[in-house]
Amino acid sequence: MISVFGSANMDLVAYVSTAPRRGETVTGRAFRAVPGGKGANQAIAVARAGAGAAFLGAVGADEFGPVLREALAGAGVDVTRLRTVPGPSGIAHIVVDGDGGNSIIVIPGANGTVTGPDAADLAAIRRSDALLLQLELPMDAVVAAATQAEVPVVLTPAPARELPGELLAAVGLLIPNEHEAAALTGLADPQESLAALLDLVPEVVITLGAAGAIYGSRSGERARVPAPPVRAVDTTAAGDTFAGALAVARAEGRPHRDALRFATAAAALSVQREGAGPSMPARAEIEATLAA
Ligand code: ADP
């Protein structure tokens, strides 16, 4: 079982040719409301990749709360430790323009009310093979979960924020994308970034979009795995799909290179479909891609 302590957001996505400037009104092509949030996405990715997943976090007492809860439960994620709190759910207001570029406003809502794990949350976390964290919850809550987990902690440092030393000391595996890696280290070259990050945490995977991912450990192991060549239609949640699948493969004891292959196969499947949760591949599809 893998626990995810993180955010759940309703993604409200408007598709336009050109994003409006201030004071301007434009007519869009489509609108979609889809469950998202990095935490919920990772939990669904874990469940779909074939492991038990538990999601710890909060949704609001609004019309989106039950939708977010059902999206997780419907994907097979254990939502026993998902709270419903007064006030609105987390929202991501997303504008996707004609080039596939986006601008996003996140309003934390219920996610912003999450504090550190309580005793029952900790009991659930400590029964897990790993704890997955991201940075869409208040930093104090993330630090409290990481430092008390007593199981391997995997952090996706997104959205990019400065990482307190206390958090880094508790992280076993860090999974930044190349932009987050550059923001954390000030180094543009992913290989140099990887080396610098290994001074902070024992293991690092940097995801490189269509170029795949690189792995390094403090004990000197290195691996590079290309992404399967695919036609990407929507890369939303590619990183979350990757992180969830990687955690599953590692919990199964796969060697580093195999685990990276499993994660890049899962993420490549997800970018070929629109949306976050619904785009995540089932285990059989991941296995079929690996066997091809
Ligand atoms: P994020 O989604 O967090 O920005 P990346 O863009 O690095 O992170 O993507 C995460 C992973 O998703 C990559 O390591 C890769 O395995 C997969 N991926 C992303 N974009 C593509 C693509 N165009 N083709 C194939 N795989 C992709």
Side-chain angles (χ1 to χ4, degrees):
M1 211 260 290
I2 291 170
S3 287
V4 182
F5 181 66
S7 58
N9 290 327
M10 199 67 185
D11 289 352
L12 305 177
V13 195
Y15 296 86
V16 298
S17 352
T18 308
R21 287 185 308 261
R22 185 173 185 196
E24 193 182 16
T25 299
V26 299
T27 299
R29 165 159 89 74
F31 173 80
R32 221 176 285 149
V34 266
K38 292 180 195 301
N41 288 345
Q42 291 193 0
I44 292 172
V46 166
R48 295 192 53 100
F55 180 70
L56 300 87
V59 295
D62 57 2
E63 69 273 35
F64 297 135
V67 179
L68 296 172
R69 181 179 290 275
E70 183 43 41
L72 286 155
V77 175
D78 178 345
V79 290
T80 315
R81 306 305 310 156
L82 174 61
R83 291 174 177 75
T84 298
V85 299
S89 296
I91 292 293
H93 183 281
I94 305 175
V95 176
V96 178
D97 66 28
D99 301 327
N102 59 33
S103 42
I104 305 179
I105 301 168
V106 174
I107 301 167
N111 300 305
T113 72
V114 174
T115 53
D118 67 13
D121 294 335
L122 278 179
I125 289 170
R126 289 174 183 162
R127 282 195 300 271
S128 314
D129 296 301
L131 171 65
L132 305 192
L133 299 171
Q134 322 75 35
L135 299 177
E136 283 184 340
L137 294 182
M139 187 60 91
D140 287 352
V142 176
V143 172
T147 53
Q148 297 175 87
E150 296 178 5
V151 296
V153 173
V154 178
L155 174 66
T156 301
R161 281 159 80 173
E162 200 171 318
L163 303 179
E166 209 188 345
L167 176 59
L168 286 168
V171 169
L173 169 65
L174 189 69
I175 315 182
N177 67 20
E178 56 190 312
H179 310 290
E180 291 145 9
L184 286 169
T185 61
L187 299 166
D189 178 61
Q191 294 292 352
E192 287 177 23
S193 247
L194 187 83
L197 290 169
L198 287 173
D199 288 338
L200 307 175
V201 295
E203 293 183 274
V204 175
V205 170
I206 301 181
T207 63
L208 304 170
I214 51 176
Y215 167 85
S217 76
R218 231 178 236 170
S219 51
E221 292 156 286
R222 294 286 185 277
R224 172 173 208 119
V225 170
V230 297
R231 199 176 74 82
V233 300
D234 183 352
T235 59
T236 309
D240 294 328
T241 305
F242 183 99
L246 184 68
V248 171
R250 285 165 61 95
E252 289 170 359
R254 297 189 190 215
H256 299 308
R257 190 175 298 277
D258 290 356
L260 286 181
R261 276 208 197 94
F262 188 85
T264 50
L269 285 162
S270 83
V271 303
Q272 295 174 71
R273 302 171 197 160
E274 287 198 342
S279 76
M280 288 168 182
R283 185 178 187 101
E285 299 173 90
I286 304 172
E287 300 283 12
T289 302
L290 287 170

